């Protein structure tokens, strides 16, 4: 997962190929033709509806473009964001990227399937 500081994020709504979704929108009701990036918002870190949106985009709709997490993004959410289908996370202001990267270094793998690895660990093992 790519991690971006808040100051480096640009969201030019209306830009060709960019779709900015409020977390109340069901992505299954939208056309993704020509969309290359979807920005999903976390208005508060306790509001997890964007996780469901990312999962729906990846698994049910087969969206292969970039899914970017914006808003109140905390470092302890990054691993789950990645497993839900996000490619990029924009950290809120004042959060150190090095601290965020350490979250990924803590976990080497997962038993369960997710939006990225659709098969559980036991099914990925070769004899």
């Amino acid at each position: 997962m790519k991690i971006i500081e808040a100051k480096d994020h640009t969201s030019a709504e209306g830009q060709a190929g960019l779709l900015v979704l409020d977390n109340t929108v069901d992505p299954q009701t939208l056309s993704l033709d020509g969309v290359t990036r979807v920005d999903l918002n976390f208005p508060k870190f306790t509001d997890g509806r964007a996780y469901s949106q990312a999962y729906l985009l990846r698994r049910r709709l087969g969206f292969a473009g970039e899914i970017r997490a914006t808003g109140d993004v905390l470092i302890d959410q990054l691993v789950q964001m990645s497993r839900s289908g996000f490619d990029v996370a924009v950290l809120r202001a004042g959060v150190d990227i090095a601290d965020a990267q350490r979250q990924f270094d803590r976990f080497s793998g997962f038993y369960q399937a997710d939006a990225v690895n659709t098969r559980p660990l036991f099914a990925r093992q070769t004899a």
Side-chain angles (χ1 to χ4, degrees), residues 1-2 16 19 30 32 52 64-65 76 86 91 104 119 121:
M1 169 179 261
K2 182 177 179 182
L19 179 61
L30 305 172
L32 299 174
S52 299
D76 60 344
F86 286 95
L91 297 176
F104 292 101
R119 296 172 47 196
L121 183 65

Side-chain angles (χ1 to χ4, degrees), residues 60-126:
R60 291 203 184 151
L61 302 175
F63 182 70
E66 178 182 309
I67 301 177
R68 184 175 288 200
T70 63
D72 196 15
V73 175
L74 304 178
I75 60 172
D76 60 344
Q77 298 171 302
L78 295 174
V79 173
Q80 186 61 33
M81 285 178 180
S82 175
R83 297 189 72 214
S84 298
F86 286 95
D87 300 300
V88 177
V90 180
L91 297 176
R92 68 182 189 179
V95 179
D96 185 7
I97 286 182
D99 291 338
Q101 186 57 48
R102 278 195 290 277
Q103 287 297 100
F104 292 101
D105 298 338
R106 292 179 182 190
F107 304 98
S108 61
F110 302 96
Y111 291 114
Q112 306 88 356
D114 55 43
V116 178
N117 295 304
T118 58
R119 296 172 47 196
L121 183 65
F122 71 86
R124 289 180 262 159
Q125 300 296 320
T126 58

